[in-house]
Amino acid sequence: MIRERIADDIYVFTSRRYAHVTCGAILTKEGVVLIDTLFYPDEARDVRDFIENKLGQQVRYVINTHYHADHISGTWLYPHATVISHARCRELIDTVGRKGLKLTKKQSKEFANASIVLPTLVVREGELDITVGKKTLRLLHLPGHSEDLIGIHLLEDNVLFASDTMMPLPTFFDGDFDLLQASLRKVNEMMPDTVVQGHGEVILRGELNHAIGNHIDYMNKIKDEVELLIEEGLPRDSLDQISIESCGKSRIPLNGFVVDLHVANLYCLYDQLVDAEAARPGLNGHQS
Ligand SMILES: [Zn+2]
């Protein structure tokens, strides 16, 4: 785990073991707000030990930005904290997350003590402001990477914890292409000074416009490429010919994991576009 201090009272922790996933800690006089927890128990424990033993502070709130296990698996390490998420996130943790943890426990002894924690405070629509100490955290729905994703805008510092809305490669295979583009535009319009991504390095204001433009261009490019392939009647596995570089992205970030994410994006888009075409009225003689 790599620890970085991005302000007097804000820390970002980045995993060395899983896809540079991040979590953040906001220190206040009324306790710590932890945004996500990292994935592997040893790294999640290191974060807790740093906050509780090195800093001598207690975690009062844990925010689950979305239900994906790489972000929230360490929530059980904070039994006295109030856990906050989107309402849909709570449902997904209770269903998909619960099944996933069972499987993870079978695959790895490391997770023997881990358990599912359901958030007790949920935001369903609009925004929710939480004031802790002198900090105001604005929770806002940023769907697209997944349907339940929330970002956290720390108003006094103008820091946005964007979770996986911002990562080196935009991904929507468990979410929605159009919603992700809308959420990326929303992040850009907010003009945060600092963006903590769900994976990878912190982004500063001067870099944000370019990063988001590049993400949106990438998404448009893969859509064009996949549409072309469908029009030409090429089989699904010819998607493998569409390289990440030809869509304007490098294969280097996240130790090359972005290539897997790129392929998953392509296959998801292909299936969605083929399904949409099949559902169009007028085909197969059906009108609706
Ligand atoms: Zn993630």
Side-chain angles (χ1 to χ4, degrees):
M1 179 265 281
I2 299 159
R3 189 180 72 236
E4 190 183 352
R5 195 174 188 177
I6 63 165
D8 277 354
D9 41 18
I10 307 170
Y11 286 90
V12 173
F13 307 90
T14 305
S15 172
R16 287 183 192 274
R17 293 187 62 193
Y18 186 83
H20 301 178
V21 67
T22 69
C23 71
I26 300 158
L27 279 46
T28 82
K29 288 206 168 66
E30 294 175 9
V32 174
V33 182
L34 187 66
I35 299 173
D36 287 342
T37 66
L38 301 185
F39 178 51
Y40 284 108
D42 61 337
E43 290 192 315
R45 275 197 193 89
D46 286 348
V47 171
R48 184 188 64 181
D49 290 349
F50 175 74
I51 295 168
E52 292 185 355
N53 301 332
K54 277 260 168 64
L55 301 177
Q57 301 237 21
Q58 290 302 311
V59 173
R60 186 167 160 200
Y61 294 104
V62 177
I63 301 179
N64 292 163
T65 62
H66 61 304
Y67 79 101
H68 290 168
D70 53 332
H71 293 261
I72 62 159
S73 285
T75 305
W76 65 280
L77 292 166
Y78 305 92
H80 303 297
T82 300
V83 182
I84 305 171
S85 76
H86 192 273
R88 184 67 184 129
C89 177
R90 186 185 197 277
E91 292 167 5
L92 287 164
I93 291 171
D94 202 14
T95 52
V96 186
R98 211 175 273 286
K99 270 189 213 146
L101 180 60
K102 254 189 200 161
L103 197 68
T104 307
K105 279 174 182 268
K106 274 186 197 155
Q107 291 164 345
S108 165
K109 285 201 177 93
E110 280 188 77
F111 288 84
N113 295 324
S115 58
I116 289 290
V117 180
L118 293 180
T120 53
L121 186 61
V122 297
V123 51
R124 195 171 295 276
E125 273 174 48
E127 296 172 350
L128 175 72
D129 283 3
I130 301 172
T131 309
V132 193
K134 290 199 164 92
K135 300 282 189 187
T136 315
L137 291 92
R138 179 162 294 169
L139 275 51
L140 48 134
H141 194 199
L142 293 173
H145 170 77
S146 59
E147 59 181 306
D148 62 330
L149 190 144
I150 51 171
I152 296 91
H153 191 189
L154 187 52
L155 299 187
E156 289 78 9
D157 302 85
N158 199 17
V159 172
L160 177 67
F161 290 85
S163 188
D164 285 358
T165 302
M166 289 295 292
M167 52 194 288
L169 194 82
T171 63
F172 52 86
F173 44 81
D174 186 34
D176 182 275
F177 183 97
D178 294 329
L179 288 177
L180 180 56
Q181 286 203 336
S183 288
L184 284 166
R185 290 195 176 97
K186 189 167 169 180
V187 167
N188 209 15
E189 282 161 14
M190 288 169 67
M191 295 202 291
D193 288 329
T194 309
V195 174
V196 179
Q197 306 195 93
H199 297 254
E201 291 175 355
V202 167
I203 291 183
L204 301 177
R205 184 160 178 175
E207 306 157 345
L208 185 64
N209 195 35
H210 177 262
I212 289 181
N214 180 255
H215 285 347
I216 289 175
D217 288 349
Y218 162 79
M219 291 177 72
N220 290 337
K221 176 74 175 164
I222 59 171
K223 195 170 190 185
D224 287 349
E225 292 284 333
V226 173
E227 277 172 351
L228 192 67
L229 195 132
I230 293 169
E231 266 172 41
E232 289 173 352
L234 292 168
R236 196 168 177 265
D237 60 11
S238 31
L239 290 168
D240 296 336
Q241 294 160 15
I242 305 172
S243 74
I244 189 167
E245 288 90 351
S246 72
C247 301
K249 286 285 187 185
S250 160
R251 63 173 57 234
I252 293 169
L254 310 183
N255 296 332
F257 183 49
V258 286
V259 177
D260 296 345
L261 300 175
H262 168 68
V263 171
N265 278 340
L266 294 175
Y267 277 81
C268 165
L269 204 47
Y270 181 94
D271 292 341
Q272 281 177 0
L273 290 169
V274 167
D275 286 351
E277 188 68 24
R280 254 171 54 184
L283 291 175
N284 311 321
H286 293 294
Q287 292 285 346
S288 57

